[in-house]
Amino acid sequence: MSSTEPDRPRRTALDALHRSLGATMTDFAGWDMPLRYGSERDEHIAVRTKAGLFDLSHMGEITVSGPQAVALLNHALVGNIATVGLGRARYTMICQADGGILDDLIVYRLGETEYMVVANASNAQVVLDALTERAAGFDAEVRDDRDNYALLAVQGPVSAGILKSLTDADLDGLKYYAGLPGTVAGVPALIARTGYTGEDGFELFVAPGDAEKLWQALTEAGADAGLVPCGLSCRDTLRLEAGMPLYGHELTTSLSPFDAGLGRVVKFEKEGDFVGREALQAAAERAAAEPPRVLVGLVAEGRRVPRAGYAVVSGGEVIGEVTSGAPSPTLGKPIAMAYVDAAHAAPGTAGVGVDIRGNHEPYEVVALPFYKRQK
């Protein structure tokens, strides 16, 4: 899956296929990835109304196994992995000792004593190194499995129907944040009902050598249903509309989960100590006593698009900062996520703007997410 030349971005097993489809490629977290195939707006709308097919093989898979695998994960991560049932998955985080977020993760329980941790591409090595270091003294193995998986995602309202035509796996019984081993188009896969778009959908972990066969089979099966190949650009606008955080934007080492409004992922009640517990306890108490800046949604009244790092202002004072911004194909307006002072965080707060090249453009404060699919 990876390039043998260290100065070049790594390439996924589908690289040649993306290029044959005319994809615009970009270096993302050290990987050559498709940004878009045609119109990112059309790709976005296809996922909202029909289905999109993504190559996510840049994500970082790390296997943790052995008699004390769950004890290691409970020590290393902030969530309670002991309560994850066989075949289920959990969203969680790995933090520094000072409580800063190293990455947000999904942990899949594959077997009695086997788990797969999926890290963001930009942090995969950091997470691998942290888990390896934290494994000292535990009867558990941490294994880098990034080269052993390709990851395809089918996302959108008709994704289940497309996938059903290629597998006899029980998709109807597969809950959100669950995964099961199965065969899709003759390819062995871990079929997970997870995603990063705000729509129903599936992520398929397969051997890199099977990725192209599976991509082609999904493309053919979805042709009449409106399935289109999708790049990372529309994935970003989809997750933004769904109010989903992106590492490096809404989540950083300078923020704790409580600062990010995601304190619910920290489970103080679990057995044993875990890395960052003391600092996170203090962060929780600070957040309860005096809320830090709050992550909110902003919807433009005009047409100018806010970008990460732009100041949020009110009454001539800086009250926050934009973390992500883009035109929203669903709302038809520019939107943003931003951390703002608690006094300006209530939906409908008047007089809030974004400083866009010296002009204070008016924005409406709204609750996240901007978009929620109809169940």
Side-chain angles (χ1 to χ4, degrees), residues 34 43 76 83 111 115 123 140 145 175 181 203 227 230 235 241 289 291:
E43 291 171 23
T83 58
Y115 297 80
N123 293 329
D145 266 345
K175 296 188 171 98
E203 295 183 320
L227 176 81
C230 292
R235 189 168 184 251
E241 287 184 350

Side-chain angles (χ1 to χ4, degrees), residues 92-154:
T92 187
M93 294 182 183
I94 183 168
C95 289
Q96 300 178 145
D98 67 1
I101 303 166
L102 280 174
D103 201 15
D104 61 336
L105 314 162
I106 297 180
V107 179
Y108 297 86
R109 187 177 178 188
L110 304 182
E112 285 298 327
T113 59
E114 184 177 3
Y115 297 80
M116 180 169 68
V117 176
V118 180
N120 286 296
S122 57
N123 293 329
Q125 191 62 48
V126 168
V127 174
L128 177 67
D129 292 345
L131 287 174
T132 302
E133 181 183 325
R134 295 174 189 187
F138 290 92
D139 186 5
E141 179 194 1
V142 176
R143 186 175 71 238
D144 182 359
D145 266 345
R146 282 176 287 180
D147 285 344
N148 295 325
Y149 286 104
L151 176 56
L152 280 63
V154 190

Side-chain angles (χ1 to χ4, degrees), residues 91-307:
Y91 176 80
T92 187
M93 294 182 183
I94 183 168
C95 289
Q96 300 178 145
D98 67 1
I101 303 166
L102 280 174
D103 201 15
D104 61 336
L105 314 162
I106 297 180
V107 179
Y108 297 86
R109 187 177 178 188
L110 304 182
E112 285 298 327
T113 59
E114 184 177 3
Y115 297 80
M116 180 169 68
V117 176
V118 180
N120 286 296
S122 57
N123 293 329
Q125 191 62 48
V126 168
V127 174
L128 177 67
D129 292 345
L131 287 174
T132 302
E133 181 183 325
R134 295 174 189 187
F138 290 92
D139 186 5
E141 179 194 1
V142 176
R143 186 175 71 238
D144 182 359
D145 266 345
R146 282 176 287 180
D147 285 344
N148 295 325
Y149 286 104
L151 176 56
L152 280 63
V154 190
Q155 299 280 303
V158 302
S159 55
I162 293 168
L163 203 54
K164 277 180 188 176
S165 70
L166 297 173
T167 183
D168 58 4
D170 179 18
L171 298 186
D172 290 335
L174 188 63
K175 296 188 171 98
Y176 187 50
Y177 266 71
L180 81 170
T183 302
V184 183
V187 170
L190 171 65
I191 306 167
R193 200 163 207 150
T194 46
Y196 193 52
T197 62
E199 297 297 337
D200 188 21
F202 302 85
E203 295 183 320
L204 308 170
F205 296 85
V206 300
D210 290 331
E212 191 165 336
K213 176 185 175 184
L214 182 56
W215 179 283
Q216 299 287 20
L218 288 163
T219 299
E220 290 167 22
D224 293 340
L227 176 81
V228 301
C230 292
L232 294 183
S233 186
C234 84
R235 189 168 184 251
D236 190 49
T237 53
L238 289 159
R239 71 91 195 168
L240 176 56
E241 287 184 350
M244 294 175 165
L246 174 65
Y247 196 88
H249 289 254
E250 288 71 42
L251 309 175
T252 68
T253 52
S254 64
L255 296 170
S256 78
F258 294 94
D259 297 326
L262 291 165
R264 64 183 180 275
V265 305
V266 181
K267 303 301 181 186
F268 292 116
E269 72 276 12
K270 65 180 176 176
E271 282 186 28
D273 196 14
F274 62 91
V275 177
R277 176 192 275 274
E278 193 175 324
L280 289 167
Q281 191 78 60
E285 290 165 7
R286 283 196 306 273
E290 185 182 344
R293 283 183 168 177
V294 179
L295 188 65
V296 301
L298 299 174
V299 177
E301 293 181 21
R303 308 303 304 172
R304 300 188 74 180
V305 179
R307 299 296 181 190

Side-chain angles (χ1 to χ4, degrees), residues 292-364:
R293 283 183 168 177
V294 179
L295 188 65
V296 301
L298 299 174
V299 177
E301 293 181 21
R303 308 303 304 172
R304 300 188 74 180
V305 179
R307 299 296 181 190
Y310 285 12
V312 183
V313 294
S314 180
E317 299 292 319
V318 174
I319 58 158
E321 185 176 301
V322 171
T323 53
S324 297
S328 164
T330 304
L331 276 62
K333 299 176 180 179
I335 60 172
M337 285 199 278
Y339 282 109
V340 301
D341 294 346
H344 296 86
T349 299
V352 172
V354 175
D355 186 337
I356 301 180
R357 297 186 182 88
N359 291 325
H360 291 184
E361 301 287 335
Y363 274 74
E364 180 187 0

